[in-house]
Amino acid sequence: MYRSHNCGELNASHINTEVTLAGWVQKSRDKGFMNWVDLRDRYGITQLIFDEGRSDKTVFELAKTLGREFVIQVKGTVIEREAKNKNIATGEIEILVTELKILNASLTPPFTIEDETDGGEDIRMKYRYLDIRRNPVKNSLLFRHKVAMEVRKYLSDLDFCEVETPYLIKSTPEGARDFVVPSRMNEGQFYALPQSPQTFKQLLMVGGMDKYFQIVKCFRDEDLRADRQPEFTQIDCEMAFVEQEDILNIFEGLTRHLLKEIKGIEVEKFPRMTYEHAMKTYGNDKPDIRFGMEFGELNEVAKSKEFPVFNAAELVVGIAVPGVGNYTRKEIDGLIDWVKRPQVGASGMVYVKCNEDGTYKSSVDKFYDQADLSNWAKTTGAQPGDMIFVLSGPADKTRSQLSALRMELATRLGLRNPAEFAPLWVVDFPLLEFDEESGRYHAMHHPFTSPKPEDMHLLETNPGKVRANAYDMVLNGNEIGGGSIRIHDKATQQLMFKYLGFTEEEAKAQFGFLMDAFQFGAPPHGGLAFGLDRLVAILGGQETIRDFIAFPKNNSGRDVMIDAPSTIDESQLKELHIKINL
């Protein structure tokens, strides 16, 4: 037996108990005649004491050789600690060690294994197995486990069945690049890793499974950022004989359950917002509604004056920023430079200070009088002491730029409180979006999304106006889940492929198996997938997902710990009938 207790459970009730502990040396303090060692495992820290007057001489001398991260086993007696530590669960006691065994020595770690470490991100990624020993990462992984278990419990209690689907599948167009896997047994042919289990969960509905879920790995070969990894985890769900309202109610219930069980927060029924309203009011389809700063469209009150920039713009739009009417010119110029960055792309910005006395001071006073600026304030909801920032240009681009500014200002002003949760549903997405580069429409979600029946007639005349039976759940400005009611009959699916530019042969080659299945009594069905990594990070109060993944990739898609991806042996390439041309 390596241990009778873990390093986080002993307290005053165990005084005079003989115990055996095992773990890592966090640190030691050698006072010559007495040596204290902090022993750590996943559960906590217990202080050990080696006393020259009370400990065996061999044990006492061996304790002096212990270094950071040595793995040791000790036996001893629980005694009352003189200098108690209220910050840890074991702070009332310590272990007077009678036996010490070094199970494994350790090199000096490349960074300190502390909550506040001296290791930069690159070095901690390289030695991720050491980083996991730190409380912030360890606790994030334990938090992820807790969320996943609550998800499984909730869905299982509603009679969902967890079914595994394949990882080696057929390459299909789902909006991102596939990771491909060569097949040795089928020369010149390739598997693809699934971007999602989309077609398989639909086939499970054809198979009569009725309610399916899976916590599943998905793979997309796309550029990375803070909230994106090449491999990620979904809570993937599908249901038969349901309409949109059924799905929204169940997964709103799941989210409410997680907020209550994980965070102790009660949330009433989630608000719903159409895609069109979200884009017009917040400039994106995943609005953060923890704060205001809603868009005010100023075309009617800012055009037809002598300011040519606004007169030539498709859209003039502004936001009222609360309490920053005292910003200095230097601070305003800094924000103008911020929106001009290539990542945002604005050509400039107009501002209006809403003075406490009810007057206005703007960067366009030459063109607009106080009555004009008062109308701007009314349109944007600005109050005395606020500042109005205005952008103009092409409608979609300008809304996107103002959305980026809104989020940046909210961050600077501390309005994005990670302990506050504001979920909502965004519904009525467009079914299709036009791609200028290819000159044709693409599915905004995926090719299996059902159009709203009342919009079907628009497919011929105005396909861009067709709404989808699709919905996203948004939490604190992040899309944490999305789904749709699916097409379940062959005729409608063929029609969808037609408007997406697939020839009949292409559709059959890529999705023939699904089309065939639809001919054998496919039920009406729909589903939703939550991004587990992102959901866990938001519930954990973080912006990025990396620390909630045990072994993440860096921003170049590399695992620097195991040095992957890497080249493979020439004999493997030959066996796979592959030649590398660089």
Side-chain angles (χ1 to χ4, degrees):
M1 181 176 67
Y2 278 105
R3 56 189 180 185
S4 60
H5 299 79
N6 64 53
C7 292
E9 67 178 298
L10 296 173
N11 53 49
S13 70
H14 296 95
I15 288 174
N16 295 324
T17 303
E18 297 293 321
V19 297
T20 303
L21 300 181
W24 289 264
V25 173
Q26 176 81 10
K27 60 184 176 182
S28 60
R29 300 175 296 286
D30 189 349
K31 299 298 183 182
F33 62 92
M34 199 169 287
N35 191 9
W36 287 275
V37 171
D38 286 348
L39 187 66
R40 182 195 73 242
D41 65 9
R42 176 185 133 184
Y43 306 95
I45 290 176
T46 297
Q47 181 170 282
L48 313 177
I49 182 170
F50 299 86
D51 187 338
E52 187 175 35
R54 291 183 288 176
S55 298
D56 178 85
K57 183 178 180 181
T58 304
V59 171
F60 183 76
E61 291 301 322
L62 185 59
K64 290 179 178 291
T65 70
L66 297 177
R68 281 180 177 264
E69 301 308 309
F70 274 42
V71 185
I72 65 173
Q73 181 190 44
V74 298
K75 294 182 180 180
T77 305
V78 181
I79 62 174
E80 186 175 2
R81 187 165 164 171
E82 289 188 15
K84 294 180 174 56
N85 183 350
K86 295 180 180 179
N87 296 321
I88 59 175
T90 60
E92 294 185 356
I93 58 93
E94 58 191 359
I95 310 301
L96 178 61
V97 178
T98 55
E99 295 181 36
L100 166 64
K101 184 177 182 180
I102 297 176
L103 301 175
N104 214 335
S106 173
L107 297 174
T108 302
F111 54 88
T112 55
I113 314 297
E114 303 276 0
D115 290 4
E116 298 295 329
T117 183
D118 56 358
E121 186 173 40
D122 290 343
I123 194 74
R124 288 187 290 109
M125 289 277 283
K126 182 174 176 61
Y127 297 94
R128 182 65 168 180
Y129 45 85
L130 296 180
D131 202 26
I132 290 172
R133 294 181 190 174
R134 295 192 312 115
N135 283 327
V137 181
K138 176 198 72 177
N139 290 338
S140 292
L141 296 180
L142 293 172
F143 184 80
R144 180 191 178 106
H145 164 74
K146 184 178 179 181
V147 173
M149 291 301 292
E150 288 296 336
V151 168
R152 282 193 162 96
K153 179 178 182 296
Y154 178 89
L155 292 174
S156 296
D157 286 348
L158 289 178
D159 210 25
F160 280 78
C161 175
E162 186 163 13
V163 182
E164 293 184 7
T165 53
Y167 280 171
L168 295 175
I169 67 167
K170 182 184 183 71
S171 181
T172 57
E174 286 195 39
R177 295 183 188 89
D178 287 328
F179 283 103
V180 294
V181 181
S183 170
R184 178 186 60 82
M185 294 180 289
N186 300 276
E187 183 179 344
Q189 295 184 316
F190 295 81
Y191 299 105
L193 299 179
Q195 295 182 33
S196 77
Q198 181 61 47
T199 53
F200 287 98
K201 64 182 180 182
Q202 291 191 250
L203 291 170
L204 286 169
M205 296 302 101
V206 177
M209 288 306 297
D210 197 71
K211 291 180 180 178
Y212 141 93
F213 86 99
Q214 184 181 188
I215 296 182
V216 60
K217 281 286 185 189
C218 302
F219 308 86
R220 293 178 187 173
D221 186 7
E222 55 189 355
D223 294 337
L224 306 184
R225 57 183 186 228
D227 61 347
R228 182 179 287 169
Q229 289 274 304
E231 52 181 322
F232 57 97
T233 306
Q234 283 186 181
I235 307 166
D236 198 55
C237 306
E238 197 80 2
M239 304 165 64
F241 302 109
V242 290
E243 296 178 334
Q244 177 172 302
E245 196 65 25
D246 300 308
I247 295 173
L248 298 191
N249 287 335
I250 283 181
F251 293 102
E252 184 172 314
L254 170 60
T255 310
R256 195 181 294 113
H257 172 80
L258 292 175
L259 287 169
K260 182 179 179 181
E261 294 299 320
I262 302 296
K263 304 300 294 184
I265 293 171
E266 297 271 6
V267 178
E268 295 300 320
K269 195 167 179 66
F270 297 2
R272 297 186 187 182
M273 185 182 299
T274 65
Y275 170 86
E276 183 178 9
H277 179 78
M279 296 302 294
K280 187 173 181 179
T281 308
Y282 299 99
N284 67 71
D285 59 4
K286 48 182 186 296
D288 192 336
I289 58 172
R290 285 175 292 180
F291 55 94
M293 288 194 276
E294 296 181 358
F295 290 9
E297 296 196 358
L298 301 170
N299 282 21
E300 291 187 9
V301 294
K303 286 193 170 191
S304 302
K305 298 289 181 178
E306 301 300 319
F307 189 46
V309 174
F310 285 178
N311 289 339
E314 181 184 1
L315 176 68
V316 183
V317 62
I319 54 172
V321 186
V324 301
N326 59 352
Y327 266 15
T328 65
R329 185 55 197 262
K330 182 179 179 181
E331 289 173 306
I332 295 170
D333 287 344
L335 281 172
I336 293 172
D337 290 340
W338 191 89
V339 298
K340 285 183 174 181
R341 297 179 314 144
Q343 300 95 316
V344 181
S347 57
M349 183 167 69
V350 168
Y351 69 88
V352 180
K353 288 187 175 185
C354 303
N355 298 321
E356 295 288 355
D357 63 3
T359 62
Y360 303 93
K361 174 65 180 172
S362 84
S363 54
V364 287
D365 281 342
K366 178 179 177 182
F367 304 99
Y368 298 94
D369 59 26
Q370 291 290 297
D372 293 325
L373 299 178
S374 176
N375 286 330
W376 293 19
K378 289 175 184 175
T379 304
T380 58
Q383 301 296 317
D386 294 351
M387 181 89 73
I388 304 170
F389 291 115
V390 182
L391 297 178
S392 63
D396 291 346
K397 185 177 179 181
T398 303
R399 287 192 179 106
S400 177
Q401 292 164 349
L402 191 60
S403 175
L405 176 63
R406 175 180 180 267
M407 294 297 282
E408 174 67 15
L409 285 165
T411 300
R412 293 187 186 189
L413 295 171
L415 301 178
R416 303 181 66 199
N417 180 3
E420 181 184 351
F421 296 93
L424 76 151
W425 289 105
V426 177
V427 298
D428 292 354
F429 282 83
L431 180 70
L432 307 169
E433 55 185 346
F434 191 77
D435 180 64
E436 298 286 349
E437 191 173 323
S438 63
R440 64 185 180 88
Y441 282 99
H442 292 266
M444 178 168 267
H445 285 78
H446 54 65
F448 318 108
T449 300
S450 171
K452 285 196 174 287
E454 61 268 32
D455 289 356
M456 284 287 289
H457 67 284
L458 295 172
L459 276 171
E460 287 283 358
T461 57
N462 196 350
K465 289 292 184 182
V466 179
R467 295 169 300 159
N469 257 327
Y471 33 83
D472 281 355
M473 182 178 285
V474 176
L475 182 61
N476 293 2
N478 293 270
E479 176 203 331
I480 61 165
S484 65
I485 298 298
R486 323 301 187 188
I487 297 168
H488 68 279
D489 65 283
K490 184 176 180 179
T492 306
Q493 190 64 71
Q494 285 178 322
L495 188 64
M496 184 67 172
F497 286 145
K498 172 188 170 184
Y499 286 107
L500 290 173
F502 287 86
T503 66
E504 192 172 328
E505 292 74 21
E506 287 171 336
K508 184 171 179 59
Q510 300 226 14
F511 301 107
F513 62 95
L514 186 64
M515 305 285 278
D516 289 345
F518 283 175
Q519 298 178 98
F520 290 93
H525 60 281
L528 177 143
F530 279 170
L532 179 64
D533 311 294
R534 193 175 304 172
L535 173 62
V536 170
I538 295 169
L539 291 174
Q542 302 296 319
E543 286 289 317
T544 61
I545 65 176
R546 192 170 288 168
D547 276 351
F548 295 87
I549 299 172
F551 300 103
K553 308 293 189 291
N554 68 12
N555 286 341
S556 300
R558 294 197 65 82
D559 185 326
V560 295
M561 182 184 67
I562 63 172
D563 192 24
S566 61
T567 58
I568 62 173
D569 190 83
E570 186 66 33
S571 62
Q572 287 179 280
L573 292 173
K574 187 175 180 180
E575 201 172 34
L576 294 166
H577 311 286
I578 291 176
K579 288 184 178 180
I580 304 295
N581 293 317
L582 298 176

